C-alpha cells in the first residue's frame, strides 16, 4: 500500500486542482495523500471531499520555508487543521511576506529589462499562495524562457539576478507552533540543505531536540545510497522516515504522484508512526 506525503496543488504552485490531484492519486491506487501546499491550507477542504469520494485518506498539511542558524530549509507539517492551534493563523503573515517579495522581484525583473507585471504573474496563480514558480510561468508565457526550470536557472533561484528573500519563521518557531497545533513536522528534501551529508547528524539532532518528528528519507532526487543513509540516521535519532514525490502536476515534468521518477514507494505504515507523535 503506497502513499505520498508531499504534494502541491493549484492552491499554491502545483497545476492540478486539489480534487484533480486526489483523483489522480486514487486512480494510481494510493491509499493516503498529504496535501502540503506552501503557506496555505486553502486547498484542504476541496481535497478532503474529493478524498472521501475516492477512498483516499487525506492528511492536511503545508510546507514552510524556515531559517535555521544561517541555513534555509523546508519543513513539511502534517495534521494541521484550520482553527486548531496557533500555526494556521500565522500562515496569512507568511503569504503577505510572499506578496511583498513578489512585488520586489517583479520590479527587479523590470529593471533587468523583462516586461512583466504583477497581473501577468497573478494570471498564473490559482490560489492565495503565490511564488516564484508563478513568476516563472509568466516568463514562459512571455517567451523569455521555455520552462520553470530555465526561469530559475540564474534568474529566480536563490542568489539569482532577480532573487529577493522573504520573511520566514525560524525552524524553532515553526516546530513549536506546529506541535502546539496538534501537528507534526518532517524535514523536506534534506539533499537541498547540504550536498555534503556530513553536517546531517548534528543538524537533525538539533531539530529533533526542538521537537521535530520526521525526516523526508524517500524523495525522488535522493539516490538509493542517500535514502539508506537517511533511513539509518532517522532510526538512530528516533525520527519517522517519511517520504513523498513533491508532485507539482505539469510544474515538474516527468515526475508523478506516488512514484516520483518511477522508483518511489512510501509505505502506508508511516502515517500511523506520524500520528503517534501528535501531542
Ligand atoms: P517560493 O516558494 O516562491 O520561494 O518558490 C520556491 C518553489 O519553487 C519551490 O518550492 C519549488 O516548488 C519551486 N522551485 C524551486 N527551484 C526550482 C527549479 N529549479 N525549477 C522549478 N521549480 C523550482
Ligand atoms: Zn512548490
Ligand atoms: Fe520544498
Ligand atoms: Fe514541496
Amino acid at each position: 500500500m503506497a502513499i505520498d506525503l508531499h504534494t502541491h496543488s493549484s492552491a499554491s504552485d502545483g497545476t492540478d486542482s486539489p480534487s484533480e490531484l486526489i483523483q489522480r492519486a486514487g486512480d494510481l491506487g494510493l491509499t493516503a495523500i498529504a496535501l502540503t501546499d506552501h503557506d496555505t491550507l486553502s486547498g484542504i477542504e476541496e481535497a478532503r471531499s474529493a478524498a472521501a469520494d475516492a477512498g483516499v485518506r487525506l492528511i492536511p498539511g503545508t510546507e514552510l520555508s524556515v531559517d535555521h542558524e544561517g541555513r534555509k530549509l523546508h519543513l513539511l507539517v502534517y495534521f494541521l487543521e484550520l482553527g486548531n492551534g496557533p500555526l494556521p493563523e500565522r500562515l496569512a503573515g507568511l503569504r503577505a511576506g510572499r506578496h511583498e517579495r513578489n512585488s520586489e522581484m517583479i520590479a527587479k525583473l523590470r529593471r533587468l529589462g523583462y516586461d512583466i507585471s504583477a497581473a501577468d504573474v497573478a494570471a498564473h496563480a490559482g490560489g492565495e499562495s503565490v511564488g516564484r514558480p508563478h513568476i516563472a510561468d509568466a516568463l514562459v508565457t512571455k517567451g523569455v524562457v521555455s520552462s520553470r526550470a530555465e526561469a530559475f536557472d540564474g534568474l529566480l533561484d536563490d542568489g539569482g539576478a532577480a532573487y529577493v528573500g522573504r520573511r520566514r519563521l525560524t525552524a524553532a518557531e515553526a516546530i513549536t507552533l506546529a506541535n502546539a497545533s496538534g501537528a507534526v513536522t518532517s524535514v523536506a528534501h534534506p539533499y537541498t540543505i547540504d550536498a555534503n551529508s556530513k553536517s546531517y547528524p548534528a543538524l537533525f539532532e538539533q531539530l529533533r531536540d526542538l521537537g521535530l518528528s520526521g525526516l523526508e528519507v524517500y524523495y525522488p532526487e535522493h539516490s538509493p545510497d542517500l535514502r539508506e543513509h537517511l533511513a539509518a540516521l532517522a532510526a538512530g535519532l528516533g525520527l519517522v522516515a517519511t517520504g513523498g514525490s513533491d508532485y507539482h502536476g505539469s510544474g515538474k515534468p516527468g515526475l508523478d504522484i506516488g512514484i516520483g521518477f518511477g522508483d518511489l514507494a512510501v509505505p502506508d505504515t508511516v502515517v500511523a508512526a506520524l500520528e503517534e507523535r501528535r501531542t
Side-chain angles (χ1 to χ4, degrees):
M1 298 293 220
I3 65 173
D4 191 331
L5 298 181
H6 190 163
T7 69
H8 299 273
S9 76
S10 55
S12 66
D13 57 3
T15 58
D16 289 3
S17 68
S19 49
E20 285 167 346
L21 186 153
I22 295 295
Q23 269 160 28
R24 179 151 192 84
D27 290 347
L28 292 172
L30 301 178
T31 55
I33 289 290
L35 184 64
T36 53
D37 279 309
H38 306 278
D39 301 334
T40 184
L41 293 170
S42 68
I44 297 298
E45 201 181 309
E46 182 185 320
R48 204 192 302 272
S49 92
D53 292 343
V56 173
R57 175 162 182 197
L58 178 79
I59 293 126
T62 189
E63 182 177 11
L64 303 174
S65 306
V66 301
D67 292 312
H68 181 69
E69 299 190 343
R71 302 179 202 241
K72 273 188 263 183
L73 50 101
H74 291 185
L75 287 176
L76 295 159
V77 185
Y78 299 124
F79 308 112
L80 190 66
E81 298 277 359
L82 274 177
N84 192 7
L87 182 54
E89 289 161 31
R90 294 293 290 271
L91 300 179
L94 298 175
R95 293 193 301 271
R98 287 180 166 276
H99 187 77
E100 287 166 27
R101 186 273 309 259
N102 294 342
S103 301
E104 290 171 33
M105 283 189 70
I106 290 163
K108 215 165 170 181
L109 283 163
R110 293 182 67 84
R111 286 197 294 278
L112 289 167
Y114 300 100
D115 174 27
I116 184 178
S117 68
D120 295 331
V121 175
H124 289 279
E128 59 185 16
S129 179
V130 186
R132 287 181 284 168
H134 304 110
I135 301 177
D137 291 344
L139 292 170
V140 171
T141 298
K142 294 272 171 188
V144 175
V145 289
S146 61
S147 66
R148 279 187 178 181
E150 202 185 320
F152 270 85
D153 190 16
L155 190 59
L156 305 184
D157 55 8
D158 293 25
Y163 179 73
V164 178
R166 65 184 167 92
R167 237 185 284 158
R168 286 185 290 267
L169 297 173
T170 65
E173 287 171 326
I175 291 168
T176 302
L177 286 163
N179 290 344
S181 304
V184 299
T185 51
S186 181
V187 176
H189 41 65
Y191 88 105
T192 60
I193 303 171
D194 195 338
N196 186 340
S197 61
K198 279 210 180 92
S199 64
Y200 291 175
L203 172 65
F204 300 141
E205 187 174 9
Q206 269 182 356
L207 294 170
R208 182 205 57 191
D209 292 346
L210 292 170
L212 179 79
S213 298
L215 201 55
E216 192 173 50
V217 168
Y218 307 104
Y219 190 79
E221 278 83 357
H222 288 173
S223 66
D225 277 357
L226 182 55
R227 293 179 199 189
E228 204 174 301
H229 178 62
L230 289 168
L233 264 180
L237 291 168
L239 293 167
V240 180
T242 72
S245 66
D246 211 355
Y247 179 73
H248 281 70
S250 58
K252 276 197 180 181
L255 186 152
D256 209 347
I257 197 164
I259 57 169
F261 296 123
D263 69 343
L264 197 68
V266 183
D268 64 356
T269 48
V270 178
V271 178
L274 283 173
E275 257 190 315
E276 276 178 27
R277 305 299 179 109
R278 296 178 73 179
T279 49

